Amino acid sequence: MSGYAGYVGRRLAQFLLVVFIGINIAYVITHASPIDPVEQSISAVTSFGNTAPDAIEQMRRSLRELYGLGGTPVQQYLAFWKRILSADFGPSLSAFPTPVGTLIGRALPWTAGLLTVSTLIAWVLGNLLGGLAGYYRQSRGLKLMGVIAMGLHPIPYYILAMLLLILFGFIWPVLPISGGATMNLPQTLTPEFVWSVLQHAILPALSLILIGVGSWFLGMRSLVANVLAEDYVVYAELAGVRSWRILTSYVMRNALVPQVTGLAMSLGGIFNGAVITEKVFGYPGLGSLLVDAVYAGDYGLVLGVTTISILGVSVGVLAIDLLYPLLDPRVKVS
Amino acid sequence: MVVFLRDLLRYRAEFRIGLVLVAVVLLLSVLASFSPYPPDSVYVVPPDLPPSLTYWFGTTSRGQDVFWQLSFAIRNTLLFGGTVALVSRLVALAVGLVSGYKGGWIDRALMSVNDTFIVIPLLPVLVLFYFVMRDRISWLMLALIMACFGWAYDARLIRSVVMSLRQREFTQTSLFSGMSTRQVLTDEHLPYVVPILFSTTMNNMVWSIGLEVTLAVLGFTDINIPTIGGMIYWANQHTAMVAGIWWWIAFPTIAVIMAFIGLFLLAVSVNAHIDPRSRLWNVGEAS
Amino acid sequence: MHASVEQPHGEQDVQPLLVVRDLQAYYRTSHAGVRRAIRAVDGVSFAVRRGEIYGLAGESSSGKTTLIKSIAGAIKPPLEIVGGSMEFAFLPGYGGLHRAPPAQVERIRWRHLSYIMQGSMNVLNPVRRIRCSFTDFAYPHIGGSRQQFEQQVVAHLSRVRLDPSVLSAFPHELSGGMRQRAALALATICRPGFIIADEPTTALDVVVQKEVLGMIRGIQRETGSSVLFVTHDMGVHAHITDRLAIMYAGRLVEEAATAEIFRNPLHPYTQNLIASLPRIGEDAPRAGLGGAPPNLADPPSGCRFHPRCPLAREICSREVPVMREAGAGHRVACFAVNGDDGA
Amino acid sequence: MNDLLLDVRDVSKTFVRGGLFSREEIVAVNKVSLQLAAGRPEILAIIGESGSGKTTLARMILNMVTPTSGRLLLDGTDLAAISGSAGRIAFMHKVQPIFQNPFESFNPLKRVERYLLMTRRRFAAAAGGSTAATAVDAALHKVGLSLKEVGGRYPHELSGGQLQRVAIARALLAEPKLIVADEPVSMIDASLRISIVNLFRTLRDELGISIIYITHDLATAYYISDRILIMQKGSVVESGDARAVLTAPRHPCTRQLREAALLPQIAGGGANASGTTQVI
């Protein structure tokens, strides 16, 4: 088992490195600005309406502190880390004085739910269909699906989300195109609420799933084509092992291994897609929160969402990495 | 190289389709040089006209000819994607070559950093960047920062190609034939790296253009330079869909989808062509 | 030209297990509009008797791999069976696995016909435990309760001197020799009547090789199986096969008892091949054959060996020699040996 | 010190696998010494099973791998001291490799004569007299080929035997004193193998080149080599005159190898000792 311990150690180290570099990038960006970010934020906030002068002063103080603009560069850097590590991003400017943490806490379940469900559906569906398409190469339906996947995969999330919005918002309005649930429903686990959540999630999830399925489909299809040439598959065919068993336990099972690594590597990109999709469909998750925070000039909120995003995606990657040995027993050796 | 291209043209339908799509988009972008209107002026034509013989793609609510606006936009968008691809290629090539040839702890360190850049979700970081820069953001600045993030995946690919090349016996034959390391790199190994470089360039352009469109429609770029995302941004600002000015959104969308699918098909077909196993697949299917 | 396979000499009463008649297997490709046929197996006839190890020797492009692919029914484009038949005694009337109904083929695979493959290192599914491979391959044929089956597997593993614990291992956890023995156990667990062994020991170190060959011999003798043993290594043939056929450029050139081939080779190719092999304790210089094996997309006319043959004469480039009895159980396809009336 | 062409003194090579968390040391070569005399060309066979370290030893002699400890001297020059392109060229002028897989020895995208011409230009241009093409042709003639057969051809257009001959011709163009051949005939077809092996003998006798012949095949080693070195798990277990070692092996490991080697001859008098169904 020491092999697995070594593997876990390496993955943990990589996780810490990702978080470390990610946070440092955020630091460099926020401190490289040629403009005084505090005054800019304040002017952005105050331009929206009347804010009492003492509230502005309080904002200015907390912003200065938040940006860590006091002291030497080293002190600024350490203060920045302290904030991140204590997950304290101060009060939100746009929803003053609600703490940024509360806002993020409210949005996080929406994003996590949407992202997890749609990513899993896309991954499972794409790999299943791609696997079948690679195995039954003569099937016309699967060939057609390949062409569709080739057309869907390169389209960016925004364009697809917009097309879905046009289709289901203007041309054939059958689905809710905005929000996370019907506005005035109480957010408790009633059947109406759950049904409404599901309905509202269809379009955002669909735009994530369509593109996801396309890319997993193409990847799996070419992986299967390679696995088919492996000796153990040829051998099992010669042994008269049932073709369903060959497809599942020999072909797909082996082709899935790199697709799991692929999932870990593309989590960041999928998260990008979720941000924009949420905005298009007014879904109340992190993406909408981030974009609205920019419009409102809410520095603490932007920084908070960015940090949480980096952390969240890294945790997702780490989780996949830790599960990976279940799928590939060879990991302990290399 | 010539043979390679000829084979691609002859045997890969994807390559032919991709080439046609990219050519159409390129043609459109070249036309920008012949535009009768400067790109940034507004109200030069009557607003809100549907497509007609005079205004092929109609006009916008801001009094711009969609056709000429689109040709500027696609030119800028391609230029943007090209810049990101070019700069990130330099980084990817440098990291991939060093990592692949040096190996050892240098390789391990570089790949750790590399994997980090693959994982970090870029959109929030870019949004943060815009938030800090605001109106000072320029397309070149955005291109450079995207390039700083867009090299990682391709560096890994290049590294794996290089590592396998380094282990192949003909590399030793070349060295023992008295070739210098530089000669081995440029004469013996480059022909294997170039196709990878080409296909990753196409994929990288798809990626960066997609991100640029996303940022632009949110208004997080320099919206005064016409790009595809910028056009959609302005159309959204004027609620073009609701107002029925569909051509303002439809044509840029069609153009950019053509660019995406075209570039992607080029990348896929080159990739498939250099993979010997899928070549066998084709032989099997041909018979 | 027509090569006939008569009943094996002197054993009319025993029906052979496999009879291959005038088999032609080509790779047909069409590349850039140019149709090409690589005639990898072109008119091969032989019979494998019950309970013998029949050796097949040949160089890299001799077509021996294509021949066993055809016999095993692993025929995928661009490979095509153009003519001839391959009749197994346990699958009569079809002339080859590729013509039999799939249900029939599934029934006989592994039960009657099994396979030990080239590069046996990679024949075991890397993400499945060895136990699962045994279940996948053999359980449908053996049946019974799971415990009985497992007992049977364990007992069989002991024949190749493997501990039952390997069943719970993944292939990468075993050494090369252990994997090869596990593959051997897998191929013989159903006590098949016919085993195709394709270079089964080529990748192994000599000590392990000898051990594995001994096990193949042992199991074969115990079960009475027939083995078609294919390898380019003449040392291995000398060690394990009963009869030996030499293949050159898609055709058989000679067939006899293995000892007879080594003591009294008749075909000039075989003669050169045997004479060129160095042996420990013999210091005489040896000469190799000139030239190179032909390109099977465009093979020489007549006897395919004639451009390299020291005994070539005029007829050799014109006509194809057929396999003829040149002694007791010794067949050879050569005009110089059989005389010009060979055609 | 010029009485030794090659002096390998107590070299070891340890590979480290894993990284920060799991470290594993593998001793590939363990304190091996061997000498080749200058001016007295010979063929030295290094025999071992996979994992015996014979290939790592060859790579150290070719300066492709740096030893963890010990010294290698070629013609009095310490391999560790070689630096710069001039030093490298001078080294390769003395030692040239032949690899196992002839199909991999040349870049599949390039014509094979490229390597011949390049070698000639880099190592023997000073020799002057003939043009590069005639020199290449002459080298090819030594291995039984000609520029007419090989010129303009890509590797896939030649057979394995031909490619291996080209590889030898290329090595000859550097006019080396030593050739290190790692399993040079294991992928060559049986009917062509012996002529390549004979070629090595010719190189020794007619061109005065010493050859280190790495193999697992005892029979060819017996056939051409003067001296033999048996390796097991990184160490040399037995060495000496080829005939003596192989006909009367002393070390149990050598004996085991010798017994396991399957020779292409029928043991004893009867058919296959097995006496199964048919004895004719």
Side-chain angles (χ1 to χ4, degrees):
Chain A
M1 227 37 215
S2 70
Y4 186 66
Y7 173 80
V8 170
R10 282 198 298 278
R11 294 338 293 172
L12 271 174
Q14 181 65 40
F15 166 76
L16 293 176
L17 187 71
V18 173
V19 174
F20 180 76
I21 292 185
I23 303 293
N24 273 301
I25 287 171
Y27 178 82
V28 169
I29 288 177
T30 48
H31 287 71
S33 166
I35 339 154
D36 183 353
V38 173
E39 289 313 318
Q40 203 192 351
S41 296
I42 286 178
S43 68
V45 174
T46 45
S47 67
F48 272 94
N50 300 338
T51 318
D54 46 328
I56 293 180
E57 196 41 48
Q58 195 195 339
M59 266 184 207
R60 182 169 283 132
R61 239 182 301 120
S62 87
L63 269 178
R64 289 227 159 265
E65 193 197 329
L66 182 60
Y67 272 92
L69 289 180
T72 65
V74 176
Q75 279 171 329
Q76 287 185 19
Y77 182 72
L78 291 177
F80 186 84
W81 267 105
K82 205 178 141 208
R83 265 196 182 280
I84 301 279
L85 290 177
S86 55
D88 172 16
F89 300 99
S92 158
L93 298 184
S94 52
F96 196 78
T98 320
V100 164
T102 312
L103 291 175
I104 291 179
R106 244 182 252 159
L108 193 57
W110 291 98
T111 299
L114 176 70
L115 210 57
T116 312
V117 171
S118 57
T119 305
L120 280 180
I121 292 179
W123 192 78
V124 171
L125 211 61
N127 283 322
L128 204 64
L129 294 173
L132 290 172
Y135 195 67
Y136 300 108
R137 285 198 307 241
Q138 306 304 327
S139 155
R140 283 181 186 281
L142 290 166
K143 268 188 188 167
L144 179 70
M145 213 174 277
V147 174
I148 295 173
M150 278 215 184
L152 273 180
H153 165 62
I155 297 177
Y157 290 101
Y158 173 76
I159 300 282
L160 189 72
M162 191 180 71
L163 291 176
L164 287 175
L165 185 74
I166 291 169
L167 186 61
F168 291 101
F170 295 94
I171 299 173
W172 189 39
V174 288
L175 285 167
I177 53 164
S178 178
T182 312
M183 280 295 246
N184 40 21
L185 273 178
Q187 300 210 352
T188 50
L189 274 177
T190 57
E192 289 94 342
F193 178 69
V194 171
W195 174 238
S196 158
V197 166
L198 286 179
Q199 263 192 320
H200 280 78
I202 290 179
L203 281 182
L206 196 61
S207 63
L208 291 174
I209 290 171
L210 280 178
I211 289 176
V213 167
S215 91
W216 298 122
F217 179 96
L218 294 176
M220 189 66 174
R221 193 177 62 173
S222 64
L223 282 169
V224 162
N226 284 349
V227 171
L228 279 178
E230 295 284 347
D231 282 350
Y232 51 81
V233 175
V234 177
Y235 198 52
E237 282 172 352
L238 285 174
V241 176
R242 306 244 150 80
S243 67
W244 181 250
R245 164 106 310 174
I246 292 180
L247 174 64
T248 52
S249 302
Y250 288 74
V251 177
M252 299 258 257
R253 181 69 180 68
N254 278 285
L256 266 187
V257 172
Q259 287 293 75
V260 173
T261 320
L263 181 62
M265 295 227 269
S266 54
L267 272 194
I270 297 173
F271 184 85
N272 290 346
V275 170
I276 188 66
T277 306
E278 284 182 6
K279 183 59 200 160
V280 170
F281 294 105
Y283 199 76
L286 286 179
S288 297
L289 196 63
L290 176 70
V291 175
D292 292 339
V294 174
Y295 291 148
D298 192 338
Y299 170 74
L301 195 49
V302 172
L303 185 62
V305 174
T306 306
T307 315
I308 284 295
S309 310
I310 293 172
L311 202 65
V313 172
S314 322
V315 169
V317 172
L318 181 67
I320 295 172
D321 278 346
L322 294 185
L323 291 176
Y324 179 80
L326 289 181
L327 203 71
D328 187 0
R330 287 162 295 186
V331 103
K332 287 172 222 161
V333 180
S334 55
Chain B
M1 212 69 229
V2 179
V3 176
F4 186 75
L5 283 177
R6 197 197 60 204
D7 281 0
L8 268 171
L9 270 174
R10 207 178 271 172
Y11 305 121
R12 297 263 162 202
E14 299 105 311
F15 188 78
R16 288 196 294 269
I17 298 171
L19 210 59
V20 169
L21 288 176
V22 170
V24 169
V25 172
L26 273 179
L27 185 72
L28 190 60
S29 71
V30 168
L31 284 180
S33 315
F34 305 101
S35 167
Y37 322 106
D40 43 2
S41 53
V42 288
Y43 300 109
V44 289
V45 290
D48 295 343
L49 292 178
S52 66
L53 280 180
T54 334
Y55 306 108
W56 291 357
F57 291 178
T59 65
T60 72
S61 304
R62 308 173 77 211
Q64 294 159 317
D65 185 326
V66 171
F67 179 82
W68 294 111
Q69 195 67 19
L70 180 61
S71 87
F72 278 113
I74 198 86
R75 188 190 68 182
N76 289 341
T77 295
L78 286 179
L79 217 57
F80 179 85
T83 310
V84 176
L86 190 75
V87 178
S88 66
R89 256 9 43 195
L90 295 178
V91 184
L93 204 56
V95 172
L97 289 180
V98 169
S99 210
Y101 280 112
K102 291 286 175 195
W105 69 268
I106 296 181
D107 173 45
R108 280 201 292 278
L110 277 177
M111 282 305 109
S112 280
V113 175
N114 186 80
D115 290 355
T116 304
F117 277 81
I118 290 177
V119 166
I120 289 176
L122 185 52
L123 195 56
V125 172
L126 289 175
V127 169
L128 184 66
F129 184 68
Y130 166 76
F131 183 82
V132 171
M133 287 297 172
R134 293 276 169 184
D135 300 338
R136 301 192 177 207
I137 204 161
S138 71
W139 76 265
L140 187 63
M141 201 189 283
L142 198 63
L144 289 181
I145 191 161
M146 275 197 207
C148 288
F149 283 88
W151 53 270
Y153 194 81
D154 304 336
R156 216 172 223 300
L157 277 179
I158 292 169
R159 166 184 174 267
S160 68
V161 170
V162 164
M163 285 193 120
S164 72
L165 284 173
R166 203 171 60 129
Q167 277 163 4
R168 287 177 72 170
E169 281 177 357
F170 74 74
T171 303
Q172 289 304 328
T173 304
S174 312
L175 287 171
F176 275 92
S177 298
M179 291 190 202
S180 63
T181 315
R182 188 193 57 76
Q183 251 178 322
V184 173
L185 278 178
T186 54
D187 294 2
E188 304 286 320
H189 290 179
L190 206 60
Y192 292 90
V193 179
V194 165
I196 302 280
L197 220 48
F198 174 81
S199 74
T200 59
T201 305
M202 302 294 116
N203 274 330
N204 188 268
M205 282 179 75
V206 170
W207 170 82
S208 63
I209 292 175
L211 264 182
E212 199 274 341
V213 169
T214 303
L215 285 173
V217 294
L218 294 172
F220 293 172
T221 55
D222 182 357
I223 45 173
N224 294 316
I225 305 271
T227 63
I228 296 290
M231 277 185 87
I232 299 173
Y233 170 80
W234 285 114
N236 284 342
Q237 290 296 308
H238 288 79
T239 55
M241 258 347 268
V242 183
I245 322 284
W246 55 267
W247 51 90
W248 196 354
I249 288 191
F251 289 110
T253 308
I254 292 170
V256 80
I257 289 181
M258 278 171 68
F260 282 131
I261 297 182
L263 291 170
F264 177 68
L265 287 179
L266 290 186
V268 167
S269 53
V270 169
N271 253 344
H273 200 70
I274 50 181
D275 178 5
R277 279 202 257 201
S278 72
R279 218 177 305 174
L280 282 180
W281 177 341
N282 267 34
V283 171
E285 228 139 69
S287 64
Chain C
M1 45 162 251
H2 176 96
S4 69
V5 175
E6 59 276 36
Q7 285 293 309
H9 178 80
E11 292 186 32
Q12 247 75 10
D13 51 330
V14 185
Q15 192 209 0
L17 199 54
L18 167 68
V19 179
V20 176
R21 273 180 225 272
D22 202 19
L23 181 69
Q24 289 167 301
Y26 296 176
Y27 293 92
R28 290 211 163 141
T29 57
S30 123
H31 194 64
V34 181
R35 297 182 143 272
R36 294 209 309 170
I38 294 173
R39 289 143 75 174
V41 174
D42 207 4
V44 165
S45 306
F46 64 94
V48 178
R49 300 169 190 159
R50 289 177 194 272
E52 75 170 341
I53 300 187
Y54 185 90
L56 189 63
E59 303 183 340
S60 52
S61 57
S62 61
K64 60 187 195 303
T65 305
T66 310
L67 176 59
I68 50 181
K69 268 190 193 166
S70 308
I71 293 172
I75 300 152
K76 281 183 189 170
L79 178 60
E80 259 179 71
I81 303 298
V82 177
S85 69
M86 302 155 279
E87 187 96 339
F88 281 107
F90 46 75
L91 190 69
Y94 294 110
L97 261 58
H98 63 294
R99 292 206 203 110
Q104 290 275 344
V105 174
E106 193 170 309
R107 186 182 57 80
I108 63 117
R109 274 200 195 283
W110 230 243
R111 184 74 197 84
H112 295 283
L113 169 67
S114 88
Y115 205 121
I116 310 172
M117 222 161 113
Q118 185 166 19
S120 285
M121 298 303 164
N122 307 318
V123 302
L124 298 166
N125 190 341
V127 297
R128 268 168 101 66
R129 295 179 196 277
I130 307 287
R131 174 179 290 109
C132 300
S133 292
F134 273 94
T135 314
D136 292 346
F137 281 55
Y139 188 66
H141 298 295
I142 290 175
S145 77
R146 287 276 166 170
Q147 279 99 331
Q148 276 175 336
F149 177 69
E150 175 118 359
Q151 276 166 12
Q152 202 174 334
V153 170
V154 168
H156 192 63
L157 281 175
S158 69
R159 285 197 184 96
V160 294
R161 271 179 270 132
L162 281 176
D163 192 77
S165 65
V166 300
L167 286 176
S168 309
F170 287 104
H172 71 269
E173 293 167 336
L174 306 179
S175 72
M178 285 166 88
R179 251 180 291 179
Q180 184 63 33
R181 281 182 278 155
L184 176 60
L186 187 60
T188 50
I189 175 92
C190 296
R191 302 177 148 258
F194 197 92
I195 301 169
I196 298 171
D198 179 7
E199 305 269 8
T201 59
T202 301
L204 299 175
D205 283 328
V206 289
V207 177
V208 185
Q209 163 171 290
K210 188 164 186 183
E211 185 186 37
V212 170
L213 288 176
M215 287 170 180
I216 293 178
R217 186 43 126 175
I219 291 174
Q220 181 266 341
R221 229 176 264 162
E222 193 188 317
T223 58
S225 313
S226 303
V227 180
L228 176 61
F229 198 107
V230 181
T231 178
H232 69 278
D233 189 332
M234 295 301 281
V236 173
H237 279 300
H239 184 75
I240 192 168
T241 59
D242 299 317
R243 287 198 299 148
L244 180 56
I246 311 285
M247 206 169 170
Y248 182 82
R251 294 196 182 124
L252 289 194
V253 295
E254 188 163 3
E255 178 202 62
T258 306
E260 168 79 4
I261 291 264
F262 278 96
R263 291 214 194 89
N264 181 28
L266 293 177
H267 195 280
Y269 172 70
T270 320
Q271 284 173 343
N272 270 284
L273 186 63
I274 304 259
S276 76
L277 299 169
R279 296 169 172 89
I280 294 176
E282 292 180 18
D283 290 343
R286 289 161 198 281
L289 263 173
N295 175 4
L296 291 179
D298 181 24
S301 60
C303 173
R304 287 182 179 177
F305 185 61
H306 84 262
R308 300 171 76 187
C309 183
L311 307 177
R313 30 171 123 172
E314 189 267 330
I315 188 174
C316 299
S317 59
R318 235 176 340 104
E319 291 184 46
V320 181
V322 294
M323 289 283 268
R324 282 254 168 141
E325 198 98 358
H330 196 152
R331 296 193 299 148
V332 62
C334 178
F335 292 115
V337 178
N338 295 339
D340 285 356
D341 58 333
Chain D
M1 279 304 284
N2 258 5
D3 49 342
L4 285 182
L5 171 59
L6 177 71
D7 186 6
V8 177
R9 285 193 223 154
D10 276 338
V11 293
S12 301
K13 178 70 192 179
T14 311
F15 290 106
V16 178
R17 225 166 52 166
L20 228 51
F21 297 91
S22 50
R23 256 174 107 80
E24 199 184 340
E25 290 199 342
I26 298 156
V27 182
V29 172
N30 187 14
K31 296 215 166 141
V32 168
S33 298
L34 68 92
Q35 279 79 33
L36 288 179
R40 189 156 51 79
E42 65 171 326
I43 298 179
L44 170 69
I46 300 178
I47 296 180
E49 307 235 282
S50 54
S52 63
K54 58 187 194 299
T55 293
T56 307
L57 179 60
R59 292 172 150 256
M60 286 195 283
I61 295 170
L62 287 167
N63 209 13
M64 288 157 62
V65 171
T66 322
T68 317
S69 68
R71 290 221 301 165
L72 293 115
L73 299 167
L74 181 80
D75 229 1
T77 319
D78 193 332
L79 296 201
I82 291 172
S83 66
S85 67
R88 263 187 39 210
I89 294 286
F91 167 73
M92 292 171 176
H93 189 40
K94 290 174 188 153
V95 184
Q96 282 286 328
I98 308 287
F99 297 111
Q100 177 174 18
N101 187 344
F103 296 98
E104 269 288 301
S105 293
F106 298 98
N107 190 339
L109 300 180
K110 305 274 178 183
R111 295 187 176 88
V112 290
E113 85 251 29
R114 160 189 173 76
Y115 301 93
L116 299 163
L117 291 166
M118 182 72 74
T119 310
R120 157 77 188 175
R121 199 154 67 224
R122 282 296 145 88
F123 294 104
S130 52
T131 66
T134 31
V136 166
D137 194 43
L140 285 168
H141 272 290
K142 285 178 196 154
V143 298
L145 292 169
S146 67
L147 192 53
K148 228 170 73 192
E149 288 170 79
V150 172
R153 300 287 198 102
Y154 287 93
H156 66 88
E157 296 174 309
L158 298 169
S159 76
Q162 284 174 313
L163 282 173
Q164 203 60 304
R165 285 166 188 273
V166 176
I168 295 172
R170 190 207 61 75
L172 291 182
L173 280 164
E175 296 169 356
K177 294 179 175 169
L178 174 65
I179 285 181
V180 179
D182 190 356
E183 299 273 13
V185 294
S186 70
M187 298 186 72
I188 308 285
D189 279 326
S191 70
L192 303 170
R193 192 174 289 176
I194 198 69
S195 33
I196 304 265
V197 172
N198 284 337
L199 198 51
F200 285 121
R201 193 180 261 181
T202 320
L203 299 187
R204 176 194 63 189
D205 296 343
E206 288 173 16
L207 300 174
I209 298 172
S210 285
I211 291 156
I212 292 183
Y213 174 59
I214 317 266
T215 187
H216 67 277
D217 176 27
L218 299 185
T220 53
Y222 177 88
Y223 177 67
I224 53 161
S225 55
D226 306 301
R227 256 196 315 149
I228 239 172
L229 214 80
I230 311 274
M231 284 185 76
Q232 191 196 27
K233 290 182 184 148
S235 307
V236 173
V237 295
E238 187 165 356
S239 65
D241 175 75
R243 266 131 212 89
V245 170
L246 287 178
T247 45
R250 283 199 306 268
H251 193 277
C253 166
T254 320
R255 237 175 274 155
Q256 197 187 15
L257 279 177
R258 174 66 186 80
E259 277 158 22
L262 302 176
L263 298 177
Q265 58 207 24
I266 300 299
N272 229 338
S274 56
T276 30
T277 48
Q278 95 307 338
V279 178
I280 299 161

